[in-house]
Amino acid sequence: MLNATGSGLTMAFMMVYFTRMTTISLSVIGLAITIGRATSSLIPIFIGKLLDKLGPGKLSIYGDFISGIGFIICLFARDPFTIMFTQFLIQAGSHIYWTSNRGLVLLASEVKGTQTWFGLIASIRNIGLGIGAIFTSLALTINDTTGLNYTIAFSALLFFLSCIALFVWQPKKICDEIDDVNSKENKGLKDVLLNNRYRELLIVNFGLVLAAMVIPLVIIIYATEQLGLPPLFSGGLVILNTAIIAILSIHMASWAKKYNSLSTIKCSYLLNILAFTLFWCASITVENQMITGAVLVGAMIIYSLAETLSIPTMNMLCINLAPVKNNGSYMAAFQMTWSLGMTLSPVLFGWLMDVNKHAIWLILILIIFLILNVGFRSLKKGIGE
């Protein structure tokens, strides 16, 4: 909750913050942020074996501490290189934390009801992001830059408090007695990529990552600038998504346990295809804003349901298809799909939205459909239908 609220305070805030606090042009600030975040996307490659050595508890503390330091430096960043460095630290810490997170969930759940725990984490994270976004919006309404600096400082404080909470927490150790034939040696990233089932799991998750980027990168611009709807309505769509995930994630995770994991992921893929088709259809009804709004609301509900199905199930598959011990490289490779997706999607989606209001949905549907048809072949052998 502390980590999520700290992220929510600044997730969509950095461009505005540096614009108001410096005299640097928006394009240079955007480039600095992009470079900083892009270079941090390589971090998971180097921390797999470190996760095996230190364990998820210690490593997640380091991750939150690095993010907190990044926010502190933001208070003094007034040139492009320092801005780039702050974004590298913030995102590097985030990648370290989320690489460790699946191990933390295993420790918290003691391997009992782990999938439901992943649903709980998704719910808590969305509540925290929502709370953070509300406070950030209030800070932005104040012309005085003091409120902006307080927001950054408070974000750093929340990450440091998260470090303390993780340090104090003493979970029961698990899996000490398990003798896993696949876990007696540390495997590197190359070994993970040579594993057919896990490689296809990464491809499948990459498709879901691209789908997840629709909320932060596409929906507000699409609804307001390309469909001409009020900004308040666009914000309402994002709030609707947050509310559905916060309310339903636990219930959907418990429900999905009754069914085959692969079938659940395929269902989320089909729901995403349906949602993107409806988002696309909304562009046909722009002459009637009531109908356009209704189509977008329906699409957002379906899109959000797909997310509540996929997140806990994919996290469970990420663990189940990896060795019980010394699985740091597997967790790091899984996190790489998130870091690469978050790095590539702004460029890809921005270009597609510049083409026209149809291109983004057409390409997303084609990508999801392609992965649905070719990305599950080896997974079937390990999970079964």
Side-chain angles (χ1 to χ4, degrees):
M1 185 69 164
L2 293 169
N3 180 293
T5 306
S7 299
L9 281 167
T10 54
M11 187 168 61
F13 173 59
M14 284 301 177
M15 288 282 286
V16 178
Y17 176 76
F18 289 122
T19 300
R20 294 194 183 182
M21 299 303 297
T22 70
T23 57
I24 305 171
S25 68
L26 194 60
S27 60
V28 173
I29 292 172
L31 180 62
I33 291 174
T34 299
I35 293 173
R37 292 180 177 180
T39 50
S40 74
S41 67
L42 301 175
I43 289 296
I45 295 176
F46 304 105
I47 61 175
K49 292 186 178 180
L50 195 60
L51 177 59
D52 292 332
K53 183 178 180 180
L54 298 178
K58 287 184 179 179
L59 195 60
S60 59
I61 293 173
Y62 294 144
D64 275 350
F65 184 78
I66 291 170
S67 291
I69 293 296
F71 281 115
I72 292 294
I73 298 176
C74 283
L75 296 171
F76 308 98
R78 299 295 180 265
D79 63 86
F81 292 104
T82 310
I83 292 172
M84 191 188 335
F85 184 55
T86 64
Q87 299 309 295
F88 172 81
L89 289 177
I90 291 169
Q91 290 302 116
S94 178
H95 290 316
I96 292 170
Y97 175 83
W98 286 105
T99 301
S100 309
N101 179 258
R102 294 161 193 93
L104 291 178
V105 174
L106 275 178
L107 291 173
S109 66
E110 298 181 11
V111 203
K112 297 174 183 177
T114 305
Q115 188 160 328
T116 304
W117 271 82
F118 279 121
L120 176 63
I121 294 296
S123 178
I124 292 173
R125 178 163 174 76
N126 272 270
I127 292 171
L129 290 172
I131 293 172
I134 290 170
F135 280 103
T136 297
S137 299
L138 292 174
L140 289 173
T141 61
I142 304 171
N143 291 327
D144 186 8
T145 56
T146 303
L148 303 180
N149 284 325
Y150 279 146
T151 302
I152 291 290
F154 189 55
S155 296
L157 176 62
L158 288 172
F159 277 94
F160 293 141
L161 288 175
S162 179
C163 291
I164 295 171
L166 287 166
F167 180 77
V168 172
W169 179 46
Q170 296 293 330
K172 180 182 177 182
K173 292 185 178 180
I174 58 171
C175 302
D176 286 341
E177 307 83 14
I178 296 176
D179 183 20
D180 183 1
V181 295
N182 296 317
S183 65
K184 293 181 179 179
E185 58 177 304
N186 283 23
K187 294 182 179 294
L189 188 61
K190 181 180 178 181
D191 299 299
V192 178
L193 297 178
L194 289 175
N195 183 320
N196 288 338
R197 280 190 295 154
Y198 215 86
R199 186 174 64 246
E200 290 196 1
L201 178 72
L202 300 179
I203 294 170
V204 170
N205 192 60
F206 184 75
L208 294 173
V209 171
L210 291 180
M213 293 298 104
V214 165
I215 286 291
L217 298 176
V218 176
I219 199 63
I220 291 181
I221 295 175
Y222 177 67
T224 55
E225 296 187 13
Q226 296 185 325
L227 300 185
L229 294 172
L232 186 62
F233 178 83
S234 304
L237 288 175
V238 177
I239 292 172
L240 176 63
N241 169 263
T242 301
I244 290 173
I245 295 173
I247 295 169
L248 293 183
S249 286
I250 301 174
H251 304 291
M252 293 293 280
S254 298
W255 175 80
K257 287 192 299 183
K258 304 173 185 177
Y259 300 93
N260 178 270
S261 298
L262 199 58
S263 299
T264 302
I265 297 298
K266 285 184 176 180
C267 180
S268 71
Y269 260 73
L270 292 172
L271 288 173
N272 273 319
I273 290 173
L274 178 57
F276 296 152
T277 302
L278 287 175
F279 280 128
W280 189 2
C281 288
S283 65
I284 303 171
T285 63
V286 289
E287 297 299 324
N288 189 320
Q289 287 199 343
M290 290 289 290
I291 296 177
T292 302
V295 172
L296 287 175
V297 168
M300 184 56 72
I301 291 171
I302 295 170
Y303 172 86
S304 302
L305 290 175
E307 195 171 351
T308 61
L309 277 177
S310 64
I311 290 175
T313 307
M314 282 303 296
N315 279 311
M316 279 304 302
L317 283 177
C318 162
I319 293 170
N320 290 339
L321 293 183
V324 176
K325 294 182 180 179
N326 296 333
N327 59 13
S329 293
Y330 288 80
M331 300 300 105
F334 190 80
Q335 184 61 30
M336 274 295 295
T337 61
W338 279 96
S339 59
L340 288 175
M342 292 171 70
T343 301
L344 296 176
S345 54
V347 177
L348 175 62
F349 290 2
W351 173 68
L352 289 172
M353 285 189 288
D354 272 344
V355 173
N356 57 51
K357 61 188 175 185
H358 309 294
I360 181 70
W361 307 115
L362 174 61
I363 297 301
L364 274 172
I365 290 169
L366 288 176
I367 291 173
I368 298 299
F369 183 79
L370 180 65
I371 296 176
L372 179 64
N373 282 275
V374 303
F376 287 84
R377 292 176 181 174
S378 293
L379 282 176
K380 292 179 182 178
K381 299 174 185 177
I383 301 171
E385 291 286 4

